[in-house]
Amino acid sequence: YTMMGDTVNLAARLEAAGKDYGVCILVSEFVHDEIKDHFFSRKLDTVRVKGKSKPVTLYEVRCKKGEESEEEKKFVNAYETALFSYFNRKFLEAKRQFEILYQSSHDEACKLLLERCQYYIETPPELDWDGSFTRTKK
């Protein structure tokens, strides 16, 4: 038996991406839309996976709604604020924010975005950049 199709392809790509972000449960925007009322999550990034042209927003599922600590809420809020700066091409500001978060948490997603900010500071994306990162590996 085998599985084929866009959904399966996306799931396979996201499985690999979960390792890059250092998260246990990574879901696409499509799954997130279905579970957001029941689970506390963090918006991680927007990526274009190999073989696709349309970007997909990624989320980390952290715990059931209501089980998150105040510290977790503050961390996710700070991360998403840094991500907002990143999406708005404020790479120096986002880099500072991700650095602070990484120093206190050693969160792999913070480290990944911090490195990407540095790259975009040195090599700015095209003017029509939509905020998404194109993953070149599976």
Side-chain angles (χ1 to χ4, degrees), residues 61-117:
V61 177
R62 297 181 65 94
C63 62
K64 286 183 179 178
K65 275 261 170 99
E67 293 181 1
E68 67 276 13
S69 66
E70 285 304 313
E71 186 175 306
E72 239 180 332
K73 286 180 189 177
K74 287 179 185 175
F75 173 79
V76 168
N77 186 51
Y79 181 93
E80 290 180 353
T81 299
L83 191 62
F84 182 79
S85 296
Y86 168 84
F87 286 148
N88 286 285
R89 303 177 70 103
K90 297 177 182 174
F91 301 118
L92 280 172
E93 183 180 319
K95 181 183 174 195
R96 277 188 241 115
Q97 293 168 320
F98 284 123
E99 279 175 337
I100 292 166
L101 287 169
Y102 182 70
Q103 288 170 358
S104 65
S105 67
H106 296 288
D107 179 78
E108 284 298 314
C110 289
K111 182 180 177 186
L112 182 70
L113 271 292
L114 171 63
E115 291 168 355
R116 204 175 308 146
C117 285

Side-chain angles (χ1 to χ4, degrees), residues 86-89 91 120 125-133:
Y86 168 84
F87 286 148
N88 286 285
R89 303 177 70 103
F91 301 118
Y120 285 143
E126 300 294 324
L127 292 177
D128 64 348
W129 180 67
D130 62 4
S132 62
F133 178 76

